[in-house]
C-alpha cells in the first residue's frame, strides 16, 4: 500500500511542471503524542530529521533537518509540548510541538560521542554520555546538575533506570561492570559494589533490579540497594527448562523485568524482583520487540512476528502476568522486507475497550502504521536516500485508441481552453479558476504511461541505499512500481547501469543493471525491467566489483557490453555469450580504464591484455595490465574530486567562431579526466592556515596518463565540486584568504588546427567525425578564470539537451538546499573588464568579480530540497528543454530551458485567443466582402 | 515564518534555528574565522564572516562577505533583498493584447478598413476625376494583361 502523498505543485501557473516531494528518512526514534489536540507521532530519523507526523494520514506537520553528520541519539517529548532531540555533537534542542519552532537549545558537550536521552519522572531531561550524567530542565534548557561517575574514564553500553527518587546506572568499565545510584534531585551519587566480581556478556537495569548474563550461562540478578549489591545466580537451563547455548538480554526495557532472546530464536519475558528471576511468558520464533507503555499502572508491550511474506502477527502482552491481551494478523506489502523496529501506542476505542496501534519500520526504510488489523498509512522513506538514478523512456503509444476516448479528450481539451480564455480575459469566477488549476494539474496527458512527443514523460528509476528500487513518473511524481531486493547489502556502493536501451526493438522493455554487494561483501548483480520493475535475473558474483565499465558495444539483442573490474584488476565481461566475446575481441585493444585510489593518492591506467582461463567460476575473464600511473605527493596533495565527461553527451559543434571571425576548435577528448587535489589538513574551515593551502587542478588523459594541463590556486581549500562538459570544466572551492567561495572555469582549445579554413574543417582531419586519438599530439590552449560565488556549494551538475545546440546552464545545489541554474556565459574565461565591440557582438559579458544569482534562476523557487545530494539532468526530446531531477531527503523535479523555449509554445499558450482572432478575421473578411460587393453594385448602378 | 529559517556555520557543520523573537546563537564555537550562512526561502542573505578571537575572551567581529561591511554592536542580519522567484506574469491588458502579433494584425486591418477609405475621401474630387480619366485612357494593367505582356 502506498500513501497517496501528493507532490505539492508549485503555486505559480507557469511553473506547473515542477514537483516537490518531502521525506524524512528511516525512523530511529518515535514518540506518540495522542493525549490532546491533534494526534501525532514525533519521529527522529537516520537522516537527522526531527518531524511531526499526522497519526491519521502520515502527513508531515513539520520537520527540522539538523546536522547531517550528527545522528540523533535521543528524542523525547517533555512537558507535553516540547519535542526534545539530542544530537551526537551534544546539542539538546527543544522544538515547539505545534509548529516546530525552536524553543531552546543547549550545547552540553562538543566532542561527538554516542549518548542516551531519558525523560525523568519530574519531566526533566537526563543525558547519559559515557559515564557523565547531565540533567537539564525541560522548560528552558538550563543545566540542573551533572555527575561525572567515573572521573572521565569511559563507561560503555550504559543502561539506566529510575525507581522513586533514585536513578540507577550500569555500564561496562573496561570488562567489568560498574553500578551507580544517583539522587535524582541533587546529582549526588554512590558507587555500588557487588558481592562478587562480574564479567557479564550483557546486562539490563530495570526498576532498580540489575540482571546480567555471565559467561557460564547463568543469569545473575541483584537489587540495587545499600552499598553492596547482593547477587543471586540462576542457571539459564533450569530457568528455561531447556539447554541454551547462547542467549542475550535485549536492551528493550520492561519495567520489573527483562527480555531474553536465545539463539533458538525464542523470546522469553522474565520477571525480576527481590526474590530472583522467573519466566513470565515465552514467545516462539523470532520476534521484534516494541517499547513498553504504561497502562493503568501496569505495562504492555508488543511483539511482532512474521507469519509469511505477506502477513505480520502483532501480539500484545500486558498486565502484571504478561498475558496476551491482543493479537492481530496484518497483511502488509510483501515488498517491504522484514520489520526492523516497532513502536507501540494504546488508545481507547469508541466502545471503550482498549486498542493498540503500532508503527513499524521496515527493512526497506518504510514507515507504516498498523491499527485494527490493517495498514492505516505507510510512507516510502527509502526515497530519502537515493543513491543513483536512471531514466527510462516509456513505451510508444499504441495505435487504435477508441473514439470515445478521443472525444472525451477533445471535450476536456476544449473545456480547458474555454476556462483558460476566461481566466485570461478575467471573466472566470473563483470556482472556474480552481477547476482550471485542477485541470492543469491532473491533466490526463501528463500521467499517461506512454511516450509523448516532446519527451517530457519519462520514468525516473531510482536506486535507494536500502536496496529498494522505485520508478517515478515525471508527470505527477507518482510511484509506478517499487521493488525491494533483499540480497543487496546496504553497506557497499550501489550503482545503476543502463543494460539494454532498445532502439530497434521498440516494443521491448529497457533493462537496468543493479550492481552492489551482497551481505558477505562480494559483488551482486540484478537485472531489472525498467517499465514493470520485475527482476529478470540475479547473480551473486564471486568477487567484489571495483569498477564497472559500459562499453560502446551492443549485441544483437541490444544488450550493452559491460566490463566488471574486480579487486585483482581482472576484467569480467557481461553478458557472457559467444557473441559478446567475438564483439569484444575486436574492440579489446581499445579498452582503457583507470582506477583512482584516493587513500594512496594515485591514479592508475590499465588496458586489457588477454583472455585468461576463468577456472571453475566460468564467465569471460580478461587480464589487465597497468600502463601508467600518476602519483600525487602524499604530504602535500590529496585527491579531492575526479570528474569526467558524460559518455552520452551530445556536442553540436566542434568549432567556436569568435567575434573577429577567428575559429577556435574545442578539444573534445572523451578520455580527459579532471582531478583536483588539495593540501591535506583537518577539514574544518576555521582551522587552516590560509598561506599554506593549495588546490591543484589537473587535466589528465586517461588513455596515455599524460597530464594535459595543471593549474594551482593558492589559499584554496576543499571540498571541491566539479562538472565537466564538452571542452570545459567548472569547479568550486573555498578561498580561505577572502573567506569566500570561488568558482573557476577551464576551457581547453585545440590550437594545432590553427589556420585551417572552414572547408578543411569539414573535410580534413580536424572534423569531429574523424576518430579521435589520444596518442596524436596536440597543441592545447587552456583558458581559465575564477569568480566568487555567494554560497557554499553542495553539488554541481550541468544541463544536457538532446542535440547539444542549446546553451549550457550549470546547476548548483547550494547549502540552502536550493538549485540555482547559472548560465555558462557567466563562467566564460574570456570575460574581461572592458570587452571589445567584437566580443560584445559575440555575447561576452563584462567582467565582474562575483557570479550573479538572480532570483529567477532558482529552479527550486521557494522549495528546499533538504540535504541536497545530487542533481541529474536528462535531455527531453525537445532540444530547448532539459529535465532536472534533484534528490536529497526530498525529491524535486522540474524542467529548465537554458535558452528559453525557442522551439515550442509555452504550456499555457492561449490557443483559444488564436482561434478567436482567426474567426474574427474570417468574419471581417466576409463582412467586408459583402460590403464591397454592395458598394460595387451601387457604383455600377450610378 | 521563522520555522523555515535556518542558520548554517561553515557550510553546514553546525546548524541552528532562530528563536521566536528572531535571536539565534551558536554554542561551543572554537576561536578562529567562521562563515555563517542563512537559508531562508524568499530572501537572500549575504554570508557573514565571523572572527572569534582567542585572546580577547572570545570577542566576536563580524562582517558581511558580499559587501565587506563590518557589523558593529549587535549582530543584526538583514536580508539583502527579497527574492521574487517567479517572473511576473504580465497582467492582461488591452495594450498587451495589441502588442501581440495578432493584435497588430487586427490593428492594421482596422486601419485599412477605416482609414484608407477616408484617405480616398480626402482627395480632391477634381483630382480624383483626373486620375479616373487617366485610368480610363490607359487600359488598366490587369493581371491577365501583365501575364500576356510577360509572354510576348
Amino acid at each position: 500500500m502506498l500513501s497517496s502523498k501528493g507532490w505539492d505543485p508549485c503555486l505559480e501557473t507557469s511553473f506547473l511542471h515542477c514537483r516537490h516531494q518531502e521525506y524524512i528518512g528511516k525512523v530511529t526514534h518515535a514518540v506518540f503524542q495522542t493525549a490532546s489536540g491533534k494526534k501525532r507521532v514525533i519521529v527522529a530519523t537516520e537522516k537527522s530529521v526531527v518531524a511531526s507526523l499526522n497519526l491519521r494520514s502520515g502527513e508531515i506537520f513539520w520537520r527540522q533537518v539538523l546536522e547531517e553528520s550528527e545522528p540523533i541519539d535521543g528524542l523525547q517529548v517533555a512537558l507535553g509540548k516540547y519535542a526534545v532531540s539530542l544530537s551526537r555533537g551534544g546539542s539538546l534542542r527543544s522544538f515547539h510541538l505545534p509548529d516546530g519552532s525552536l524553543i531552546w537549545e543547549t550545547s552540553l558537550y562538543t566532542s561527538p560521542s554516542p549518548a542516551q536521552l531519558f525523560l525523568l519522572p519530574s519531566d526533566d531531561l537526563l543525558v547519559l554520555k559515557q559515564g557523565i550524567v547531565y540533567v537539564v530542565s525541560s522548560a528552558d534548557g538550563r543545566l540542573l546538575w551533572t555527575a561525572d561517575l567515573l572521573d572521565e574514564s569511559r563507561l560503555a553500553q550504559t543502561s539506566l533506570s529510575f525507581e522513586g527518587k533514585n536513578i540507577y546506572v550500569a555500564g561496562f568499565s573496561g570488562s567489568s561492570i560498574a553500578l551507580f545510584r544517583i539522587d535524582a534531585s541533587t546529582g549526588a551519587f554512590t558507587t555500588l559494589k557487588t558481592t562478587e566480581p562480574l564479567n557479564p556478556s550483557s546486562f539490563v537495569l530495570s526498576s532498580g533490579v540489575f540482571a546480567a548474563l555471565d559467561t557460564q550461562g547463568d543469569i545473575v540478578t541483584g537489587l540495587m540497594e545499600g552499598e553492596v549489591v547482593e547477587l543471586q545466580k540462576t542457571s539459564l537451563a533450569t530457568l528455561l527448562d531447556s539447554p541454551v547455548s547462547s542467549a542475550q538480554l535485549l536492551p528493550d526495557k520492561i519495567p520489573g523485568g527483562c527480555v531474553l532472546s536465545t539463539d533458538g530464536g525464542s523470546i522469553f519475558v522474565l520477571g525480576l524482583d527481590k526474590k530472583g528471576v522467573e519466566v513470565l511468558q515465552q514467545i516462539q520464533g523470532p520476534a521484534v520487540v516494541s517499547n513498553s507503555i504504561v497502562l493503568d499502572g501496569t505495562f504492555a508491550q508488543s511483539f511482532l512476528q512474521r507469519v509469511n511474506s505477506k502477513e505480520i502477527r502483532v501480539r500484545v502482552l500486558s498486565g502484571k502476568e504478561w498475558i496476551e491481551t491482543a493479537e492481530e494478523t496484518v497483511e502488509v506489502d510483501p515488498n517491504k522486507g522484514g520489520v526492523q523496529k516497532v513502536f507501540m501506542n494504546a488508545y481507547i476505542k469508541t466502545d471503550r475497550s482498549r486498542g493498540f496501534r503500532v508503527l513499524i519500520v521496515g527493512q526497506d526504510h518504510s514507515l507504516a502504521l498498523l491499527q485494527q488489523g490493517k495498514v492505516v498509512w505507510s510512507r516510502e522513506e527509502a526515497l530519502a536516500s537515493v543513491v543513483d538514478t536512471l531514466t527510462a523512456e516509456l513505451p510508444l503509444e499504441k495505435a487504435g485508441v477508441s473514439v470515445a476516448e478521443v472525444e472525451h479528450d477533445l471535450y476536456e481539451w476544449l473545456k480547458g481552453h474555454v476556462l483558460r480564455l476566461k481566466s485570461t480575459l478575467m471573466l472566470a469566477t473563483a470556482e472556474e479558476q480552481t477547476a482550471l488549476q485542477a485541470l492543469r494539474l491532473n491533466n490526463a496527458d501528463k500521467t499517461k504511461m506512454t511516450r509523448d512527443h516532446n519527451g517530457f514523460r519519462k520514468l525516473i528509476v531510482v536506486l535507494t541505499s536500502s536496496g529498494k528500487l522505485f520508478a517515478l513518473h515525471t508527470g505527477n511524481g507518482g510511484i509506478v512500481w517499487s521493488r525491494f531486493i533483499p540480497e543487496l547489502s546496504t553497506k557497499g556502493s550501489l550503482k545503476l547501469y543502463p543494460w539494454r536501451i532498445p532502439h530497434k526493438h521498440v516494443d521491448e522493455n529497457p533493462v537496468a543493471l543493479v550492481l552492489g554487494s551482497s551481505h558477505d561483501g562480494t559483488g551482486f548483480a540484478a537485472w531489472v525491467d525498467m517499465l514493470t520493475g520485475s527482476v529478470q535475473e540475479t547473480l551473486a558474483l564471486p568477487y567484489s566489483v571495483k569498477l564497472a565499465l559500459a562499453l560502446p558495444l551492443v549485441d544483437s539483442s541490444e544488450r550493452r557490453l559491460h566490463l566488471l573490474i574486480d579487486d585483482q584488476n581482472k576484467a569480467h565481461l557481461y553478458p557472457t555469450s559467444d557473441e559478446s566475446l567475438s564483439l569484444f575481441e575486436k574492440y579489446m585493444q581499445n579498452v582503457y580504464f583507470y582506477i583512482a585510489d584516493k587513500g594512496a593518492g594515485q591514479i592508475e591506467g590499465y588496458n586489457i591484455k588477454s583472455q585468461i582461463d576463468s577456472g571453475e567460476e566460468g564467465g569471460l575473464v580478461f587480464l589487465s595490465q597497468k600502463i601508467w600511473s600518476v602519483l600525487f605527493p602524499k604530504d602535500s596533495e590529496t585527491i579531492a574530486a575526479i570528474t569526467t565527461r558524460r559518455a552520452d553527451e551530445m556536442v553540436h559543434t566542434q568549432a567556436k567562431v569568435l567575434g573577429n571571425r577567428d575559429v577556435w576548435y574545442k578539444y573534445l577528448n572523451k578520455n580527459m579526466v579532471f582531478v583536483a587535489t588539495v593540501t591535506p589538513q583537518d577539514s574544518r574551515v576555521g582551522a587552516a592556515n590560509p598561506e599554506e593551502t593549495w588546490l591543484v587542478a589537473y587535466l589528465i588523459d586517461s588513455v596515455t596518463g599524460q597530464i594535459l594541463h595543471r593549474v594551482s590556486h593558492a589559499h584554496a581549500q576543499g571540498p571541491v565540486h566539479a562538472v565537466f562538459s564538452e571542452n570545459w570544466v567548472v569547479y568550486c572551492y573555498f578561498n580561505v584568504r577572502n573567506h569566500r567561495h570561488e568558482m573557476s572555469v577551464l576551457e581547453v582549445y585545440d590550437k594545432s588546427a590553427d589556420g585551417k579554413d572552414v572547408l578543411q574543417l569539414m573535410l580534413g582531419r580536424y572534423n569531429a567525425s574523424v576518430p579521435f586519438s589520444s596518442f596524436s599530439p596536440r597543441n592545447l590552449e587552456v583558458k581559465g578564470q575564477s569568480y566568487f560565488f555567494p554560497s557554499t556549494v553542495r553539488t554541481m551538475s550541468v544541463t544536457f539537451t538532446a542535440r547539444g545546440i542549446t546553451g549550457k546552464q550549470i546547476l548548483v545545489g547550494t547549502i540552502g538546499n536550493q538549485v540555482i541554474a547559472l548560465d555558462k556565459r557567466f563562467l566564460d574565461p574570456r570575460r574581461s573588464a572592458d570587452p571589445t565591440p567584437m566580443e560584445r557582438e559575440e555575447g561576452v559579458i563584462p567582467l565582474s568579480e562575483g557570479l550573479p544569482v538572480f532570483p529567477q534562476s532558482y529552479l527550486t523557487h521557494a522549495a528546499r530540497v533538504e540535504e541536497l545530494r545530487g542533481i541529474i539532468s536528462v535531455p527531453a526530446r525537445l532540444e530547448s528543454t532539459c529535465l532536472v531531477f534533484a534528490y536529497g531527503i526530498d525529491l524535486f523535479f522540474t524542467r529548465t530551458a537554458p535558452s528559453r523555449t525557442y522551439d515550442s509554445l509555452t504550456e499555457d499558450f492561449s490557443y483559444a485567443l488564436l482561434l478567436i482572432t482567426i474567426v474574427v478575421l474570417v468574419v471581417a473578411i466576409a463582412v467586408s466582402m459583402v460590403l464591397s460587393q454592395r458598394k460595387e453594385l451601387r457604383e455600377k448602378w450610378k | 515564518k521563522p520555522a523555515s529559517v535556518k542558520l548554517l556555520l561553515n557550510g553546514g557543520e553546525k546548524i541552528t534555528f532562530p528563536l521566536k523573537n528572531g535571536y539565534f546563537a551558536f554554542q561551543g564555537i572554537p576561536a578562529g574565522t567562521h562563515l555563517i550562512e542563512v537559508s531562508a526561502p524568499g530572501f537572500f542573505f549575504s554570508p557573514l564572516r565571523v572572527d572569534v578571537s582567542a585572546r580577547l575572551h572570545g570577542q566576536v567581529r563580524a562582517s558581511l562577505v558580499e559587501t565587506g561591511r563590518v557589523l558593529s554592536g549587535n549582530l543584526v542580519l538583514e536580508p539583502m533583498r527579497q527574492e521574487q522567484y517567479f517572473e511576473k506574469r504580465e497582467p492582461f491588458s488591452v495594450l498587451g493584447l495589441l502588442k501581440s502579433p495578432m493584435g497588430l494584425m487586427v490593428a492594421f486591418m482596422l486601419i485599412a478598413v477605416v482609414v484608407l477609405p477616408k484617405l480616398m475621401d480626402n482627395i480632391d474630387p477634381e483630382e480624383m476625376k483626373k486620375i479616373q480619366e487617366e485610368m480610363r485612357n490607359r487600359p488598366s494593367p490587369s493581371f491577365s494583361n501583365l501575364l500576356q505582356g510577360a509572354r510576348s
Side-chain angles (χ1 to χ4, degrees), chain A residues 279-318:
Chain A
V279 178
L280 293 175
Q281 265 292 345
Q282 180 183 0
I283 289 169
Q284 288 296 339
V288 186
V289 187
S290 79
N291 58 321
S292 60
I293 55 169
V294 182
L295 284 178
D296 316 325
T298 61
F299 298 92
Q301 191 154 35
S302 60
F303 297 84
L304 255 72
Q305 286 180 311
R306 208 154 187 122
V307 183
N308 52 37
S309 67
K310 270 190 179 163
E311 285 174 326
I312 288 178
R313 184 183 296 145
V314 183
R315 304 169 75 174
V316 179
L317 307 185
S318 67

Side-chain angles (χ1 to χ4, degrees), chain A residues 85 223 309 551 627 676 780 794 862:
Chain A
S85 76
L223 200 62
S309 67
L551 302 175
I627 44 175
L780 299 182
R794 276 172 174 275

Side-chain angles (χ1 to χ4, degrees), chain A residues 537-557:
Chain A
E537 200 188 334
T538 61
L539 183 65
L541 306 171
Y543 47 87
S544 67
V545 181
K546 206 158 148 190
L547 183 76
L549 300 174
L551 302 175
L553 302 170
V554 285
D555 68 3
S556 55
S557 56

Side-chain angles (χ1 to χ4, degrees), chain A residues 324-343:
Chain A
E324 188 163 303
T325 47
E327 188 193 341
E328 281 167 353
T329 308
V330 188
E331 208 166 299
V332 292
D333 185 0
N335 211 0
K336 278 190 190 307
V339 176
Q340 288 196 332
K341 261 199 157 84
V342 188
F343 303 96

Side-chain angles (χ1 to χ4, degrees), chain A residues 413-455:
Chain A
W413 187 84
L414 271 178
K415 203 174 92 184
H417 278 291
V418 169
L419 280 175
R420 204 167 285 183
L421 182 75
K422 271 189 174 173
S423 83
T424 316
L425 298 173
M426 295 201 278
L427 294 171
T429 61
E431 257 170 59
E432 282 170 327
Q433 286 279 17
T434 51
L436 180 63
Q437 287 283 354
L439 202 70
R440 280 177 172 166
L441 276 178
N442 306 324
N443 199 341
D445 238 28
K446 270 188 171 167
T447 54
K448 255 193 222 162
M449 283 299 293
T450 51
R451 228 174 268 193
D452 64 339
H453 179 69
N454 290 335

Side-chain angles (χ1 to χ4, degrees), chain A residues 535-580:
Chain A
V535 178
Q536 294 185 333
E537 200 188 334
T538 61
L539 183 65
L541 306 171
Y543 47 87
S544 67
V545 181
K546 206 158 148 190
L547 183 76
L549 300 174
L551 302 175
L553 302 170
V554 285
D555 68 3
S556 55
S557 56
E558 294 194 84
R559 290 185 292 183
R560 186 163 293 278
L561 269 59
H562 279 73
L563 269 188
L564 308 188
I565 314 296
D566 67 11
D567 39 6
Q568 289 159 2
N569 294 336
K570 275 190 272 187
H572 303 254
L573 180 68
Y574 290 91
T576 50
S577 64
D578 293 339
E579 191 200 355
S580 61

Side-chain angles (χ1 to χ4, degrees), chain A residues 7 19 66 99 102 112 153 166 173 294 335 346 379 397 416 442 456 464 560 582 601 621 665 671 677 693 752 762 792:
Chain A
W7 298 60
R19 294 284 182 270
L66 309 181
D99 61 357
L102 187 74
S153 69
N166 290 329
S173 169
V294 182
N335 211 0
R379 296 180 60 92
E397 200 151 354
N442 306 324
F456 292 158
T464 64
R560 186 163 293 278
S582 64
V621 188
Y665 300 97
N671 304 317
T677 65
T693 61
S752 52
M762 283 165 68
T792 306

